[in-house]
Amino acid sequence: MRANIARPAFTSGLRGRVLVLTLAALLAVAIPSTAALLWIVNATVEKLGTLFAEKQILFDRYRGLESLMREVSLAETVARSPAILAWAADENDPEKSERGLAELEHYRLSFKDRSYFVVLDGSGNYYFNDKQNTYETARRRYTLSRENPRDGWYYKTAALGSGCYLNVDHDDNLKVTKVWINCIISKGAKQLGIIGTGVDLSQFIREVVDIPQVGVQSIFVDRNGAVQAHRDPRLVDFHSLTKDLKAKKTIFALVDEEADRAALTGMMAEVARGEAPVRSRFMTVSGRETLVGVGYLDRLGWFNISLMDVDQIIDRRLFLPIALLLATILMTAATLMTLLFKRSVLDRLARMEASVMRVRAGSFTASDTDAGHDEIGRLSRALEEMARAVGDNTDRLEAMVRERTETLEHLAHHDPLTSVLNRRGFEGAFAQEQNRALRTGRRTALALVDLDDFKTINDTYGHQAGDRVIIEVVHRMSAVLRNYDICARWGGDEFILLIADSSLASLSAIAAKIVSEIRAAPIELNGAQAITATVSIGACIVGPLETLSSAAAHADAALYAAKHGGRDTFVVYDPALHGQTGHPTLRLG
């Protein structure tokens, strides 16, 4: 009875403490929550700004550029005109020249600027006429020269290959500044010249770049980033084609950070490859965080870049009512849900977390299980079952890993065909034997065994027969060797033997025995065929401090002598009877 009276009081007091702690927690998280809200606002602004940037880029792409695209299409049409092609191929023909110039005059009236120019590659002659028809009787204005730097635009444009290219330039001969449209005249793979027209730069800027928008600045650049159109003429890079890259006025000079310049280069490459119509990113431009959007005008070979000051475009004060509403909802919900959430969820999850930590520490024994019938109870029981399963699987996996490690270790050091050591395994065995020889003072011998005419066996009977011969040779050599000697496969049909506690006499005896055993009986290939195999052996006594490379070289020299001595024999290398540069004195078996 006393317990029943005490419990409500305790519950009431705990509820009050939880409520106080909840309020304290709300106050404690006020600062980081405010920071989080600001971050959300900034992220939202950035997202809205990014969406705006994409729309702005697409808007800039078509705003006022339709007329320029029309000029490009018209210039391409002129460049493909049969009359122009015939004239460009044979400029000195009066009839073709007359038809070509007449064709130009016809199209001149269709160009917006009422002007055209053409350069014929054969002579380098530059023809031009303006909207006033000033040069009706003298349309050939001058002749281009590779030595004249101002004519570099032609040769650099021609080097770009077929197509149309734009260039902002001031023509010193014609005294005009325009956006020039340069289209290659070509017949097949042969370039015949360049034809095109121009658009007045100031008119282009008024129509495309200088439209007033709050917080938005539009710029057009070429493939190298050189500024081709900007509301500030001082930033436009004139003579882009003929300038060195370092001397150009580029968009990259407006960006403050090197990382942003690299990012801008990547964005330009992405849109140029067609991976996305628009790319945008925040960068620092002239000391201010600016949203930079990039699009590509493939027909013009230009990039349209929009610089947007998001703070001028989007007023952050619009988010204040949302912030107040969210704060009110958060406090109310926290007050109402704290007790229920703590009792129904947090305490039970804490017990489950303790169980998980025990499993994480490697203890897979049974833990406290939640008896509830809801999701947490089912999850707790599933966790217990999983812990037991993980424990069983862990034991099995550890056993499998040990077995697999042993298998891989064996494969790494043994030849898969013969199961004897491979080159890597032999190197380790040689090092161990040399260490033992240093301790005991006993000498070690090395022998290289090479199958005679093995290629003939492969060519005549096939590689499977060759493998059968190799396996049998290893079997016969292993029968001759002592249990502490080592046989390894050194190469395709070459083996290397490490003979411990050896002398010149015992080495010769073992080598002779191997030669004899290999020759002694034919080797059956497939039940119906058999061949007699022979081997040649080069052997040497290994010095206490000698390396495997040096010893193998001595044995190889002896093997060479055995091969040239008629094969089916052995030769022992005798270092006492020759110098470093002389041929080895060899002992024949």
Side-chain angles (χ1 to χ4, degrees):
M1 193 67 182
R2 283 176 293 188
N4 291 335
I5 295 174
R7 182 171 297 175
F10 175 78
T11 304
S12 177
L14 180 60
R15 185 185 301 113
R17 287 197 298 271
V18 171
L19 180 58
V20 171
L21 290 174
T22 302
L23 294 176
L26 287 174
L27 292 176
V29 300
I31 294 177
S33 297
T34 302
L37 178 62
L38 292 176
W39 178 85
I40 293 173
V41 171
N42 290 333
T44 303
V45 169
E46 290 182 7
K47 181 61 177 177
L48 292 175
T50 301
L51 294 174
F52 180 83
E54 295 177 357
K55 301 302 181 183
Q56 181 67 33
I57 288 294
L58 297 176
F59 176 62
D60 286 342
R61 171 176 293 183
Y62 299 105
R63 181 189 62 189
L65 289 178
E66 292 183 1
S67 60
L68 188 58
M69 296 291 287
R70 173 188 173 277
E71 298 296 292
V72 172
S73 299
L74 191 59
E76 287 179 327
T77 302
V78 180
R80 294 192 297 266
S81 169
I84 297 298
L85 291 174
W87 176 40
D90 189 7
E91 181 183 4
N92 295 323
D93 186 316
E95 183 178 349
K96 294 178 181 178
S97 177
E98 182 179 355
R99 284 201 302 267
L101 290 172
E103 185 83 349
L104 286 174
E105 283 300 313
H106 170 74
Y107 277 101
R108 178 178 68 83
L109 300 178
S110 300
F111 286 126
K112 184 176 182 179
D113 193 58
R114 299 292 193 273
S115 68
Y116 68 82
F117 73 87
V118 62
V119 180
L120 300 184
D121 194 73
S123 64
N125 289 333
Y126 183 98
Y127 295 82
F128 177 80
N129 201 359
D130 57 16
K131 61 184 177 182
Q132 289 83 20
N133 199 21
T134 305
Y135 307 102
E136 180 182 8
T137 59
R139 281 171 282 187
R140 190 179 71 179
R141 304 303 303 145
Y142 59 93
T143 301
L144 275 67
S145 170
R146 290 186 179 272
E147 285 72 30
N148 186 354
R150 290 296 300 121
D151 294 336
W153 68 269
Y154 171 76
Y155 302 103
K156 290 192 176 183
T157 302
L160 295 176
S162 61
C164 292
Y165 306 92
L166 272 67
N167 179 40
V168 176
D169 205 353
H170 179 78
D171 193 308
D172 295 331
N173 293 286
L174 303 177
K175 309 300 182 184
V176 290
T177 301
K178 294 184 176 182
V179 179
W180 295 99
I181 300 170
N182 306 316
C183 293
I184 305 295
I185 306 172
S186 60
K187 189 173 184 179
K190 184 177 181 181
Q191 292 188 4
L192 303 177
I194 293 179
I195 195 168
T197 184
V199 176
D200 182 76
L201 181 62
S202 59
Q203 180 183 358
F204 178 78
I205 290 177
R206 284 194 305 270
E207 293 179 353
V208 180
V209 179
D210 204 19
I211 295 179
Q213 284 182 277
V214 176
V216 179
Q217 183 179 172
S218 297
I219 304 172
F220 290 86
V221 303
D222 65 10
R223 291 180 176 86
N224 295 316
V227 178
Q228 303 297 291
H230 194 286
R231 64 179 58 173
D232 185 352
R234 295 172 298 178
L235 298 180
V236 176
D237 185 69
F238 299 109
H239 313 307
S240 292
L241 282 175
T242 56
K243 278 185 179 179
D244 183 78
L245 183 60
K246 294 181 179 179
K248 293 184 178 182
K249 299 177 182 178
T250 68
I251 185 65
F252 305 109
L254 303 179
V255 179
D256 297 349
E257 304 293 337
E258 185 61 35
D260 289 340
R261 298 189 193 104
L264 180 57
T265 302
M267 291 160 60
M268 293 169 64
E270 288 181 26
V271 297
R273 290 193 299 265
E275 296 178 8
V278 177
R279 280 284 185 263
S280 59
R281 172 190 171 115
F282 278 90
M283 302 180 184
T284 305
V285 179
S286 301
R288 292 182 60 86
E289 187 178 39
T290 304
L291 183 61
V292 179
V294 180
Y296 183 59
L297 308 171
D298 52 346
R299 290 289 303 279
L300 306 181
W302 279 6
F303 296 91
N304 58 310
I305 297 178
S306 293
L307 306 180
M308 286 158 279
D309 188 338
V310 177
D311 289 334
Q312 294 187 35
I313 299 172
I314 302 174
D315 189 352
R316 297 174 187 266
R317 291 175 297 180
L318 296 173
F319 295 93
L320 182 58
I322 298 177
L324 295 176
L325 177 60
L326 291 176
T328 302
I329 294 174
L330 176 63
M331 293 183 64
T332 303
T335 302
L336 295 176
M337 295 299 297
T338 296
L339 286 176
L340 179 61
F341 187 74
K342 182 180 184 301
R343 180 170 180 150
S344 301
V345 178
L346 293 181
D347 291 346
R348 297 166 68 192
L349 288 178
R351 290 193 294 270
M352 288 182 58
E353 183 180 11
S355 298
V356 171
M357 295 302 293
R358 285 195 294 271
V359 173
R360 184 178 181 182
S363 175
F364 302 105
T365 57
S367 57
D368 295 336
T369 304
D370 193 299
H373 297 286
D374 56 6
E375 289 83 353
I376 295 179
R378 292 195 296 271
L379 181 60
S380 177
R381 291 188 290 275
L383 177 61
E384 181 182 0
E385 295 175 3
M386 183 184 67
R388 287 198 298 267
V390 169
D392 295 340
N393 289 334
T394 299
D395 294 338
R396 286 195 296 271
L397 286 174
E398 289 177 350
M400 292 172 63
V401 167
R402 286 193 298 271
E403 181 182 351
R404 183 62 175 167
T405 301
E406 293 172 359
T407 302
L408 291 176
E409 183 71 18
H410 183 272
L411 291 175
H413 294 88
H414 289 77
D415 175 50
L417 178 64
T418 61
S419 296
V420 298
L421 292 176
N422 57 18
R423 184 184 288 259
R424 177 188 294 177
F426 185 82
E427 289 172 351
F430 179 85
Q432 292 179 358
E433 183 59 29
Q434 281 293 80
N435 289 334
R436 189 196 63 79
L438 281 175
R439 293 193 305 271
T440 62
R442 297 179 180 179
R443 304 294 294 275
T444 301
L446 200 70
L448 283 175
V449 181
D450 187 75
L451 276 163
D452 296 328
D453 298 320
F454 183 70
K455 184 177 184 300
T456 302
I457 296 174
N458 275 337
D459 294 343
T460 304
Y461 301 100
H463 289 280
Q464 289 185 344
D467 290 344
R468 178 72 185 90
V469 171
I470 287 175
I471 293 171
E472 180 61 23
V473 167
V474 170
H475 176 72
R476 295 184 183 185
M477 287 192 298
S478 299
V480 174
L481 296 175
R482 299 161 296 183
N483 58 3
Y484 49 82
D485 294 331
I486 297 173
C487 174
R489 190 173 182 182
W490 195 242
D493 60 335
E494 192 173 33
F495 303 89
I496 190 165
L497 309 178
L498 183 63
I499 303 172
D501 300 337
S502 183
S503 64
L504 193 61
S506 63
L507 174 60
S508 298
I510 292 174
K513 181 66 174 174
I514 290 174
V515 171
S516 175
E517 285 295 320
I518 301 301
R519 184 196 323 116
I523 299 174
E524 292 187 4
L525 300 181
N526 53 18
Q529 293 178 313
I531 62 170
T532 299
T534 62
V535 296
S536 299
I537 301 177
C540 68
I541 299 296
V542 182
L545 300 178
E546 193 169 2
T547 64
L548 175 58
S549 175
S550 174
H554 292 160
D556 192 57
L559 176 62
Y560 180 81
K563 287 288 187 182
H564 284 267
R567 297 185 174 85
D568 191 23
T569 186
F570 73 92
V571 174
V572 178
Y573 182 83
D574 191 350
L577 300 180
H578 69 87
Q580 288 288 344
T581 59
H583 292 289
T585 299
L586 304 168
R587 182 170 299 162
L588 302 178

